[in-house]
């Protein structure tokens, strides 16, 4: 087994990363295609390996001066020999599909007190979301291409482009600016738009003098200023402020961060209110694409984006196109929340309104 901590070269770690990803996201991902007997045998193998590791630790702790009998007893470790129902020996490789899934299954139950099912099926789209989230959290950069998750060998060594460290940093914030932003948010909630605008402008001035325009607090301040202008019916100014917030979010947090996606959705709302449905559709489609990339096709945010697209189409006179998005939103809500949820009922009502606009009263 290679010592991954001592090796600092990505070419040495690439085969290890590639093999783990092929096992974790392959056809036998999360117990799919594995029998209950194979999983039980894998659990026994993991228990035996844990006992073996404990015995090795005990052997290291015995001083040299102790008697030979104690050292001999510590050396006696039962070899791992677990048999499957067909008589074959169960694999002891930690990266075997059954062993890896049971290791994850036991870790989740021990650490988070959550018991997963022995078999969990994931679609290729959901596996892509899992791959993206895993690479961002552990610092793996892969080649951008279409991966076929139905194959046994999904990733090649050449697909692992880079490994980068993921570290925690201290985010510098201004207490005075944060206080002004909170006061502006309170005034906005109470409907005092002039007072809210004044507080937010003061916060923005402090942030520009302290950190410059490219700071996360500046983006938050721009977002609230845009909302104040929108409430005051100053739509062009709201669009300008939201455009600044979106630019800062993309530069600071990245194009696929949840705050950036939410900024796209808000920008679509302001553009639609200003009579620019074509530009509004551009932003809301971008938000829909990023939500599906991050969360998968069945997620409440995906359904909300479909509803927003449908409303823009309806106001533009393209009711049939909007109806297709409403049906997709209903499917998302049913998959996530169930058929008897209030959001599903609201979708049914909106679909009925769309049919009435088309003249389909039955």
């Amino acid at each position: 087994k290679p010592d991954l901590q001592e090796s600092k070269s990505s070419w040495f770690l690439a085969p290890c990363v590639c093999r783990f990803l092929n096992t974790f996201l392959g056809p036998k991902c999360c117990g799919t295609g594995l029998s209950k007997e194979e999983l039980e045998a894998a659990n026994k193998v993991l228990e035996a390996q844990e006992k073996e590791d404990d015995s090795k630790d005990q052997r290291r702790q015995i001083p040299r001066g102790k008697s030979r009998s104690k050292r001999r007893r510590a050396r006696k470790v039962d070899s791992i020999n677990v048999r499957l129902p067909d008589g074959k020996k169960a694999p002891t490789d930690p990266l075997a599909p059954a062993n890896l899934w049971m290791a994850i299954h036991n870790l989740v139950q021990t650490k988070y007190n959550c018991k997963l099912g022995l078999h969990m099926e994931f679609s290729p789209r959901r596996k892509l979301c899992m791959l993206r989230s895993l690479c961002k959290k552990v610092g793996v950069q892969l080649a951008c291409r279409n991966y076929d998750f139905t194959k046994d060998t999904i990733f090649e060594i050449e697909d692992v482009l880079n490994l980068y460290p993921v570290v925690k940093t201290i985010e510098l914030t201004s207490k005075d600016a944060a206080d002004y932003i909170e006061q502006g948010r309170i005034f906005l909630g109470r409907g005092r738009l002039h007072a809210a605008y004044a507080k937010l402008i003061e916060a923005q001035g402090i942030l520009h003098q302290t950190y410059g325009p490219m700071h996360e607090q500046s983006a938050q301040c721009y977002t609230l200023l845009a909302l104040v202008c929108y409430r005051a019916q100053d739509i062009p100014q709201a669009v300008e402020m939201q455009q600044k917030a979106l630019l800062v979010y993309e530069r600071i947090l990245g194009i696929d961060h949840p705050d950036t996606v939410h900024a796209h959705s808000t920008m679509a709302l302001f553009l639609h209110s200003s009579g620019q449905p074509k530009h509004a559709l551009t932003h809301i489609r971008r938000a829909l694409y990023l939500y599906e990339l991050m969360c998968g096709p069945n997620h409440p945010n995906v359904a909300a984006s479909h509803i927003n697209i449908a409303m823009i189409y309806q106001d533009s006179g393209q009711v049939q196109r909007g109806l297709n998005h409403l049906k997709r939103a209903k499917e998302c809500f049913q998959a996530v929340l169930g058929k008897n949820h209030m959001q599903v009922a609201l979708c049914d009502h909106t679909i009925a309104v769309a049919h009435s606009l088309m003249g389909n009263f039955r």
Side-chain angles (χ1 to χ4, degrees):
K1 188 183 295 185
D3 190 354
L4 303 184
Q5 296 180 351
E6 293 183 1
S7 174
K8 299 180 180 179
S9 54
S10 59
W11 65 267
F12 184 81
L13 296 176
C16 305
V17 175
C18 181
R19 188 181 175 207
F20 172 80
L21 292 177
N22 283 327
T23 305
F24 180 62
L25 298 172
K28 296 184 178 180
C29 169
C30 302
T32 304
L34 298 173
S35 63
K36 185 178 180 181
E37 290 77 13
E38 289 178 313
L39 296 176
E40 291 176 353
N43 199 18
K44 293 179 182 178
V45 169
L46 293 176
E47 293 177 356
Q49 288 178 345
E50 186 177 356
K51 291 180 181 179
E52 184 176 352
D53 293 338
D54 293 340
S55 64
K56 287 181 180 179
D57 294 338
Q58 293 177 2
R59 190 168 66 239
R60 291 193 191 99
Q61 294 174 2
I62 297 177
R64 290 271 179 189
K66 292 292 181 180
S67 62
R68 292 184 179 179
S69 60
K70 287 185 178 180
R71 297 185 63 82
R72 267 196 218 102
R73 283 198 299 268
R75 280 197 198 100
K76 288 183 180 179
V77 178
D78 294 332
S79 60
I80 301 175
N81 189 6
V82 179
R83 297 289 176 177
L84 296 172
D86 56 0
K88 296 182 180 180
K89 185 178 179 181
T92 58
D93 184 8
L95 288 181
N99 294 344
L100 179 61
W101 171 236
M102 289 309 300
I104 296 173
H105 182 276
N106 297 337
L107 179 63
V108 170
Q109 185 173 2
T110 303
K111 191 170 184 178
Y112 302 104
N113 195 21
C114 177
K115 189 173 182 180
L116 301 176
L118 290 178
H119 301 88
M120 300 180 66
E121 295 186 4
F122 293 103
S123 63
R125 191 65 176 274
R126 183 61 62 86
K127 289 182 180 180
L128 180 62
C129 299
M130 294 166 59
L131 174 63
R132 174 189 174 276
S133 179
L134 178 66
C135 290
K136 287 176 68 70
K137 286 179 173 60
V138 301
V140 177
Q141 184 179 5
L142 298 177
C144 183
R145 67 177 182 88
N146 291 327
Y147 294 101
D148 188 359
F149 290 97
T150 60
K151 294 182 178 179
D152 293 333
T153 304
I154 306 169
F155 305 92
E156 302 292 342
I157 297 178
E158 293 78 13
D159 294 330
V160 183
L161 301 181
N162 194 13
L163 301 175
Y164 56 91
V166 179
V167 298
K168 292 182 179 180
T169 59
I170 299 175
E171 182 182 357
L172 300 177
T173 58
S174 173
K175 184 178 183 303
D176 294 334
D179 292 339
Y180 280 124
I181 290 175
E182 185 61 29
Q183 291 175 15
R185 186 180 286 109
I186 293 173
F187 284 136
L188 177 62
R190 295 176 179 176
R192 299 174 59 182
L193 301 181
H194 291 287
Y197 188 83
K199 292 295 182 182
L200 293 173
I201 288 295
E202 290 182 15
Q204 196 64 47
I206 294 174
L207 290 171
H208 273 262
Q209 294 175 7
T210 308
Y211 305 112
M214 292 299 165
H215 193 267
E216 188 174 352
Q217 278 185 311
S218 297
Q220 297 173 1
C221 196
Y222 279 130
T223 302
L224 290 174
L225 283 170
L227 189 56
V228 170
C229 295
Y230 179 75
R231 295 272 185 89
Q233 301 301 316
D234 189 358
I235 306 300
Q237 186 70 13
V239 171
E240 181 181 352
M241 290 293 180
Q242 187 62 26
Q243 184 66 46
K244 292 180 180 179
L246 180 58
L247 177 63
V248 176
Y249 276 132
E250 287 182 344
R251 296 284 182 86
I252 300 298
L253 302 177
I255 61 175
D256 56 349
H257 193 273
D259 291 340
T260 306
V261 184
H262 186 265
H264 276 291
S265 300
T266 308
M267 188 70 182
L269 170 65
F270 295 160
L271 288 171
H272 180 54
S273 300
S274 65
Q276 305 179 53
K278 185 178 294 186
H279 295 290
L281 282 173
T282 301
H283 283 278
I284 195 62
R285 283 173 179 164
R286 179 65 176 172
L288 175 61
Y289 167 76
L290 292 174
Y291 274 134
E292 288 184 342
L293 178 66
M294 294 186 298
C295 310
N298 294 325
H299 193 271
N301 290 336
V302 175
S305 298
H306 278 293
I307 292 175
N308 292 335
I309 294 175
M311 294 300 103
I312 295 175
Y313 275 132
Q314 281 190 12
D315 294 342
S316 303
Q318 305 179 43
V319 183
Q320 182 59 49
R321 280 191 170 186
L323 183 60
N324 296 333
H325 285 278
L326 287 175
K327 292 179 180 178
R328 182 70 188 94
K330 180 182 176 182
E331 293 174 0
C332 291
F333 281 131
Q334 284 180 341
V336 178
L337 305 175
K339 296 183 179 180
N340 297 324
H341 196 270
M342 182 63 69
Q343 290 292 342
V344 179
L346 292 176
C347 279
D348 285 329
H349 174 72
T350 312
I351 291 173
V353 172
H355 279 294
S356 67
L357 293 175
M358 297 172 60
N360 301 329
F361 297 104
R362 292 191 178 182

